[in-house]
Amino acid sequence: MSVAPCTERPVALIDLLDRLLQGGVVLTGDLVLSIADVDLVRIDLRAVIAPVAASALSQISEAPCPRPPAV
Amino acid sequence: MTDPNLVYIYAVLRPTPEATAAVTQLRGVAGEPVHLVAPAAGTHRLAFAVGHVPAADYAEAPLAAHLDDLDWLESTVRSHHAVVAALVGCGAAVLPLRLATVYLDEASARQALDTRRDYFLSLLERLTGHVELGVKLYATPDITPPEADTDAAREQPTGLGAGRAYLSIRRRRQRRNDEAWRTVAQAAAHLTETARALAVDRVAHSPQRGSLAGPGPGTNVGNDAYLVRADRVDAFRTGILAAAEGVPGLRVEVTGPWAPYSFALQPEPQSETAA
């Protein structure tokens, strides 16, 4: 079904989670849920995902970059 | 299609003929057909690749419930990635979106595309012709990074008088380990310099731990993403593997090429005036 990138090995789930939960374009900040004029439903997965496989995913939800904090 | 649908966004892309054709073959996270949504007005230089997904699964509450199910999460993540990878595979410049970005309808998705047009174009401009490669560094099993060396806390000295002997053994082991670790850390730093020189940009992810981190061998001590020119992928891979060769205690894995997930993260500009 899918077109895999040019690797022989199947893609590891944890590598995908690093990228799809922490990377990717984020379109807006907080999740707003009302009925009428909600523009976007943005699910903050890192919040809901914490109970899931906590041992692995807790690593993912920590700020990864040792960059100087932007002030 | 019995219940109301939400619009799930996979990626922003330039709708080339190849991409437009490729999209018709794709199925998304809910097995749904994927299609392009272009801005209502103006030039069609950008589009979203979207699918209609059931609100019963992708509204906030059901999604949160689904995420307690690692199998469901895995299937969703892999499906999302498959769509993005297929678009990349047909040569389109692609900005992957974070998992589960969902609009109520295509009109609001279109509006979002319109209002962020310049932002998306500048990101695409920067990322076009580049891919992301992952570089994972592992310290081999007999070397423990200092912060992860907690064995001592679990070891119990056996019987009276064992305390001192234990401590001395522990100290010797610690010294050996520290030396080995210094060697590995130096090699890792050198390897990172090599990688930086072959890449345009770098993002450090958290080291991978826990049950999903794979069978090893070794402890993951570096988990970086590099933005690499598409025509330099082989050079990058070769350079990294050569730099890692023969370094005792260090194992390297290169993953990808990926769509530039880790480099699609700049905060949206605060209405800066262009110079």
Side-chain angles (χ1 to χ4, degrees), chain B residues 14-203:
Chain B
R14 291 201 176 94
T16 60
E18 295 80 12
T20 308
V23 160
T24 60
Q25 308 298 312
L26 300 177
R27 293 291 176 271
V29 291
E32 85 287 358
V34 176
H35 62 280
L36 296 184
V37 167
T43 55
H44 287 222
R45 292 167 64 198
L46 284 180
F48 274 144
V50 312
H52 287 194
V53 297
D57 284 324
Y58 286 88
E60 186 192 19
L63 184 66
H66 280 312
L67 289 170
D68 283 333
D69 175 353
L70 196 57
D71 290 341
W72 191 93
L73 175 67
E74 174 157 10
S75 139
T76 305
V77 163
R78 289 194 183 281
S79 301
H80 180 114
H81 175 65
V83 170
V84 170
L87 294 170
V88 171
C90 71
V94 172
L95 288 180
L97 262 69
R98 186 164 293 189
L99 190 77
T101 304
V102 182
Y103 282 85
L104 286 186
D105 52 41
E106 288 198 5
S108 42
R110 211 170 259 120
Q111 196 179 9
L113 191 59
D114 274 333
T115 55
R116 293 177 177 80
R117 208 183 69 123
D118 292 347
Y119 169 66
F120 288 148
L121 282 172
S122 72
L123 262 180
L124 269 174
E125 202 67 38
R126 174 172 181 256
L127 297 174
T128 298
H130 294 77
V131 298
E132 173 174 331
L133 292 172
V135 175
K136 297 200 280 182
L137 303 179
Y138 293 85
T140 53
D142 53 339
I143 299 172
T144 326
E147 72 276 9
D149 190 9
T150 54
D151 290 355
R154 285 196 293 272
E155 285 182 39
Q156 292 299 317
T158 51
L160 286 174
R164 197 175 299 186
Y166 162 77
L167 284 175
S168 128
I169 289 167
R170 163 112 187 86
R171 268 197 297 268
R172 269 206 304 278
R173 190 158 57 96
Q174 185 67 53
R175 264 201 303 277
R176 265 205 314 277
N177 186 61
D178 285 352
E179 267 164 51
W181 175 248
R182 265 196 301 276
T183 308
V184 167
Q186 271 169 358
H190 171 248
L191 208 129
T192 302
E193 286 310 304
T194 306
R196 275 178 183 280
L198 293 164
V200 174
D201 199 0
R202 166 181 179 253
V203 166

Side-chain angles (χ1 to χ4, degrees), chain A residues 15 19 22 31 41 45 52, chain B residues 60 67 98 102 132 208:
Chain A
D15 290 338
R19 287 167 175 81
Q22 294 208 104
L31 165 66
V41 179
L45 274 165
V52 184
Chain B
E60 186 192 19
L67 289 170
R98 186 164 293 189
V102 182
E132 173 174 331
Q208 296 177 344

